[in-house]
Amino acid sequence: MSLSAVLAGLLAAVVSYSGPLVIVLAAAAAGHLDKAQTGSWIWAISIGSGLTCIGLSLRTKMPVITAWSTPGAALLVTSLGAYSYAEAIGAFIVTGVVITLVGLTGVFGRLMRQVPTAVVSAMLAGILFSFGTDVFTSLETAPWIAGTVLLVYLLGKRWLPRYAVLIALAVGVVAAAATSRLDIHLDSIEPARPVLTTPDFSVASLIGIAVPMVLATLASQNAPGMAVLTASGYQPEDRLLIGSTGLVSTVLAPFGSHAINLAAITAAICTGPESHRDPERRYVAGVACGALYLLGGFFGTTLVVLFADLPKELVAAIAGVALFGALAGGLSQAVREEQDREAALITFLATASGVTVFGIGSAFWGLTFGVAVHLVLTGRRRTRSVSG
């Protein structure tokens, strides 16, 4: 046991609940889920993240931090309302199965090389774009709340970057209370009750939800998560890590879990020297993070009530600043290579437009258009090169 590693793990879980969780709640509201279904969703992703954090950290003796797919949840904000909840559950199951197979067969790296990094990054940026703009649109209706969150977040990034989102949330709650916008009624603490939903498999939901979620989870979550571990001096086994998170996602999908994956941003808290000077003792952070996830899952319904009573402008502002890093990273990767910029631009615009064609959401169309443009432009260059 190590106090610094335990605190690092607890902080990672708190950051996950104070930022990405509100995106899940936004997706649940967009899909018109009731209180029981939303509570079950939070229970499933919390239990899945907790079990994988603890199990994989103990098995590998590395600080393996897992979480629910933030880009996947953001995708559902714009697409979940177009399908029935049973269809979404069916898409979640397929997502978990595909990720499990990709992980266990070792084709993770080869599969991701088939889609240009710029196109995948642009799709992610398009998905997250509205969350970024919501920070500023919230200034119109609640300037003190949204403005305080933005200002404190920026100051936190300057002086205490690791705690920026957490501090912004705390000060934002104070600002909401000071402006009489905070009205939380927590009558009792209730344990979460899992709700089993029979899946309904439809072509539209598989294309509109499963396909972009698989790509977003693998490229925007698992790939950076592996990179964080590698950069910290560890040698992660992609088959074990990706396969395990995919399997757990599949098992918990009927209860609402959309995707469990390796974390990147919160993982950096637990894999660095701040967690422990000895890399071999940092795995304790993964166990601590998982323990708090399990506790959060047990009281999932209470978390729904707590966050549902927060002002919508506060939720929008916190979700937005929590995703600034992911959005900036997506945009940076999208325009890094000059030859891929046109494809990335079209992918971004199509995805950010929110257009739905034939019942299929914009993320898929952005990906489709981007790959098509990439093939046309690179094919043209190759033809010219050969003719020359």
Side-chain angles (χ1 to χ4, degrees), residues 236-247:
E237 301 179 26
D238 62 291
R239 293 189 179 188
L240 174 63
L241 302 186
I242 306 301
S244 298
T245 54
L247 181 60

Side-chain angles (χ1 to χ4, degrees), residues 19 22 37 50 57 90 177 183 221 229 234 285 320 322 342-343:
V22 297
Q37 292 170 328
S57 293
D183 187 22
Q221 296 283 160
L229 287 169
Y234 299 100
E342 291 89 347

Side-chain angles (χ1 to χ4, degrees), residues 98-193:
V98 172
I99 292 177
T100 301
L101 293 176
V102 169
L104 294 179
T105 57
V107 301
F108 175 64
R110 296 194 298 271
L111 179 64
M112 293 316 303
R113 285 193 292 270
Q114 301 304 311
V115 180
T117 301
V119 171
V120 175
S121 299
M123 182 188 71
L124 172 62
I127 292 173
L128 303 181
F129 177 72
S130 63
F131 291 93
T133 58
D134 283 347
V135 176
F136 301 95
T137 55
S138 297
L139 290 171
E140 182 178 0
T141 55
W144 283 107
I145 296 176
T148 298
V149 168
L150 180 59
L151 177 60
V152 171
Y153 170 78
L154 295 175
L155 293 175
K157 289 293 290 184
R158 174 64 179 84
W159 301 107
L160 295 169
R162 185 181 301 176
Y163 310 99
V165 175
L166 186 60
I167 296 174
L169 173 63
V171 177
V173 170
V174 173
T179 55
S180 301
R181 293 290 305 275
L182 193 64
D183 187 22
I184 297 178
H185 300 284
L186 193 61
D187 299 327
S188 61
I189 298 178
E190 301 178 8
R193 295 178 175 84

Side-chain angles (χ1 to χ4, degrees), residues 10 20 29 31 38 59 69 73 80-81 86 90 93 152 157 168 180 207 270 322 327 363 368 370 383:
L10 296 180
T38 305
R59 170 69 182 277
S69 174
L80 189 58
I93 293 176
V152 171
K157 289 293 290 184
S180 301
I207 296 176
C270 303
L327 176 56
T368 301
T383 300

Side-chain angles (χ1 to χ4, degrees), residues 5-21 46 49-50 53 65-68 162 165-166 169 263 265-267 269-270 285-297 303 307:
V6 170
L7 291 177
L10 296 180
L11 176 61
V14 169
V15 170
S16 293
Y17 279 125
S18 64
L21 181 63
S46 298
S49 300
C53 270
I65 308 301
T66 61
W68 48 94
R162 185 181 301 176
V165 175
L166 186 60
L169 173 63
I265 299 175
T266 52
I269 299 175
C270 303
V287 177
C289 181
L292 189 55
Y293 276 147
L294 293 180
L295 182 63
L303 288 177
F307 282 94

